[in-house]
Amino acid sequence: MTIHQNLIAGEWTGTTGAENINPSDTNEVVGLYASASVQDVADAIAAAKAAFPAWSRSGILERHTILKKAGDEILARKDELGALLAREEGKTLPEAIGETIRAAQIFEFFAGEALRLAGEVVPSVRPNIGVEITREPLGVIGIITPWNFPIAIPAWKIAPALCYGNTVVFKPADLVPGCSWAIVDILHRAGLPKGVLNLVMGKGSVVGQAMLDSPVLSGITFTGSVGTGKRVALSSVEHGRKYQLEMGGKNPMVVLDDADLTVAVEAAANSAFFSTGQRCTASSRLIVTEGIHDRFVAALTEKLKTLNVDNAIKAGTHIGPVVDAKQLKTDTDYIEIGKQEGAKLAFGGELVSRDTPGFYLQPTLFTEATNQMRISREEIFGPVASVIRVKDYEEALATANDTPFGLSSGIATTSLKYATHFKRNAEAGMVMVNLPTAGVDFHVPFGGRKGSSFGPREQGKYAAEFFTTVKTAYTLA
């Protein structure tokens, strides 16, 4: 099997690697991908540093052309790349193709942003002095991405980094290197100069740690677990570099008595169970007022009975497999914890067998949960959700905000009064009204508060806050 190599200083390199296994069919090896060493990481960082002076001063049309060309190719290959994503991560094929299209849109957006780079010219308070305020690239950026969005998250970090003139050392999650390799290959062939974008695949304990240990990186943007995010922060403080963290979530979906039941059930099912619940924006806490509680639980349970768990590539599959055996064990452990805590298992919770061997788990719904249970406090990152019964809107809002996380928050209601109040008072970076808590646009800011995020927002024009630094220049007329 041909090995997909790392890209360092414009050259493909690496002779040993690891197999990329299909979670829908563990007999299938999706591909063989190189594993970088500590020295490879050092070489990649050195290459990015050497390439930075020229790339940071490159013309905006050159950056635009490369990013636009990459976006066009990703879009043209959406079916192929979507199938690759579904095979390596387990997301259903329609979801995977949708994510691939989003990646293309992100590159197209930042291709446009490259032509819209601007600053300010303002008068000084002193006579005959002009003031210019500009943004300049930060430097060498370390990018570390998770496994749950193998093409969209790399896109929304790499595209702005390059748009604003930075050079990149990129480490994708070792579970899903395929889509990341494809993006890097596309950008490489689109004309990026040597060293501007470097790919180092492999274990976080080796590759990621070598990046954290480097004093050369000017910034690190990371999406992943809370524990690793704290390590990124500590190492960045030690080296005096900028850092951006997107971490966990325990997102609430509030359902009020006046909600449209069909809308509420569709939003809750999508939030909690689609993409196998493996989204940081997934809603695993369904906070339901008592007047609609029983009808909502009954309707959601009937909805779950219609969802087909199967091979991600197969037509008619609603929920694919969990990503790997380790995550599957985490999910089943939490299901047992929920039972032991006294929550009622209302649906699912069982492993299922299909035509191909894979990590298949029924969508799991608990009722009679409390907000103090571990299944209501800790991120499970699987197709597991808990219904928490509350008295009224005021208790629902308080319960929604009673969490160490603050990424996304949703409400199902037909009341303009409650919708408006919730948007203002939900302690989250993103708020959804009568919509799933997961699912955001590519041109607007993404991020949360509290334990979910740290640093400037990602995506849209707000990405400039992380990937650039501000300079103020004075000139005597």
Side-chain angles (χ1 to χ4, degrees):
M1 184 176 291
T2 302
I3 189 168
H4 295 77
Q5 297 175 301
N6 291 306
L7 183 67
I8 300 174
E11 303 295 332
W12 295 105
T13 180
T15 57
T16 60
E19 294 179 338
N20 185 5
I21 303 298
N22 182 348
S24 291
D25 181 358
T26 54
N27 290 327
E28 182 192 7
V29 177
V30 178
L32 186 63
Y33 292 84
S35 297
S37 66
V38 172
Q39 185 58 53
D40 289 333
V41 177
D43 292 344
I45 292 173
K49 182 179 179 181
F52 177 73
W55 180 249
S56 65
R57 291 168 175 78
S58 60
I60 59 174
L61 186 58
E62 178 183 4
R63 298 183 209 171
H64 164 83
T65 301
I66 291 171
L67 293 173
K68 181 67 165 59
K69 189 174 181 181
D72 288 345
E73 181 171 341
I74 292 170
L75 186 60
R77 295 171 59 190
K78 66 182 186 300
D79 294 333
E80 171 203 344
L81 294 174
L84 172 62
L85 195 164
R87 288 167 60 216
E88 72 171 351
E89 195 268 348
K91 195 167 293 183
T92 65
L93 186 58
E95 289 176 318
I97 292 173
E99 182 181 332
T100 304
I101 293 171
R102 179 178 176 185
Q105 292 168 333
I106 290 166
F107 275 100
E108 183 177 9
F109 177 86
F110 283 105
E113 285 295 279
L115 300 179
R116 292 189 286 266
L117 297 177
E120 297 178 75
V121 177
V122 299
S124 170
V125 295
R126 294 168 289 171
N128 301 319
I129 293 176
V131 182
E132 299 174 18
I133 304 168
T134 55
R135 287 189 175 274
E136 296 185 352
L138 193 62
V140 179
I141 304 293
I143 294 177
I144 302 175
T145 58
W147 51 259
N148 61 324
F149 283 87
I151 197 166
I153 292 180
W156 84 45
K157 294 180 187 291
I158 292 172
L162 298 178
C163 166
Y164 297 116
N166 301 280
T167 55
V168 171
V169 177
F170 169 41
K171 182 221 169 302
D174 62 309
L175 275 178
V176 289
C179 289
S180 294
W181 188 93
I183 282 184
V184 171
D185 175 59
I186 288 168
L187 284 164
H188 178 61
R189 290 185 290 99
L192 275 182
K194 292 183 177 181
V196 171
L197 174 60
N198 302 272
L199 173 67
V200 281
M201 299 177 288
K203 294 289 185 182
S205 58
V206 177
V207 179
Q209 189 60 49
M211 292 171 68
L212 299 190
D213 292 340
S214 173
V216 177
L217 296 180
S218 302
I220 290 184
T221 175
F222 166 83
T223 300
S225 70
V226 173
T228 303
K230 289 179 179 179
R231 289 172 53 205
V232 173
L234 289 171
S235 70
S236 297
V237 170
E238 179 182 354
H239 294 297
R241 64 171 166 246
K242 201 172 183 179
Y243 61 98
Q244 178 185 55
L245 308 177
E246 288 297 340
M247 299 176 288
K250 197 65 180 175
N251 309 293
M253 166 63 75
V254 169
V255 179
L256 298 185
D257 288 351
D258 63 18
D260 181 308
L261 186 60
T262 300
V263 169
V265 168
E266 289 298 320
N270 184 306
S271 297
F273 303 112
F274 284 25
S275 295
T276 323
Q278 297 174 152
R279 300 182 285 196
C280 55
T281 51
S283 180
S284 54
R285 290 189 300 144
L286 307 176
I287 301 167
V288 186
T289 50
E290 54 190 6
I292 199 173
H293 177 276
D294 292 351
R295 288 185 293 129
F296 173 81
V297 169
L300 180 57
T301 301
E302 288 304 310
K303 173 70 175 179
L304 296 183
K305 291 177 181 178
T306 70
L307 299 182
N308 184 33
V309 179
D310 209 330
N311 192 308
I313 294 293
K314 186 180 291 187
T317 296
H318 299 107
I319 299 175
V322 175
V323 71
D324 69 350
K326 181 180 177 181
Q327 183 61 50
L328 182 61
K329 185 177 187 308
T330 296
D331 295 347
T332 55
D333 284 350
Y334 270 109
I335 291 169
E336 291 305 312
I337 289 169
K339 294 176 183 177
Q340 293 166 10
E341 288 181 313
K344 177 185 176 183
L345 183 60
F347 184 84
E350 299 293 330
L351 300 180
V352 293
S353 297
R354 292 296 181 255
D355 294 339
T356 51
F359 307 113
Y360 298 110
L361 175 65
Q362 286 181 311
T364 304
L365 182 68
F366 282 104
T367 58
E368 306 307 325
T370 71
N371 205 47
Q372 286 68 48
M373 292 178 177
R374 286 183 62 190
I375 57 171
S376 302
R377 307 299 296 179
E378 301 171 10
E379 185 176 41
I380 299 172
F381 221 64
V384 182
S386 303
V387 178
I388 301 171
R389 187 196 301 257
V390 294
K391 182 177 63 174
D392 52 22
Y393 170 74
E394 287 71 22
E395 185 180 355
L397 176 63
T399 303
N401 288 336
D402 180 15
T403 173
F405 298 106
L407 183 55
S408 186
S409 190
I411 188 170
T413 181
T414 55
S415 166
L416 179 60
K417 170 187 172 182
Y418 288 134
T420 302
H421 189 272
F422 189 81
K423 285 189 289 184
R424 175 64 183 85
N425 292 279
E427 295 173 359
M430 298 175 288
V431 181
M432 313 292 185
V433 178
N434 295 322
L435 289 166
T437 56
V440 295
D441 294 340
F442 63 88
H443 67 303
V444 296
F446 177 97
R449 59 173 74 174
K450 297 193 280 189
S452 290
S453 305
F454 182 88
R457 290 290 191 262
E458 298 193 276
Q459 297 201 123
K461 65 181 181 179
Y462 287 80
E465 294 294 331
F466 178 75
F467 290 103
T468 64
T469 184
V470 175
K471 176 179 283 184
T472 305
Y474 295 83
T475 303
L476 177 64

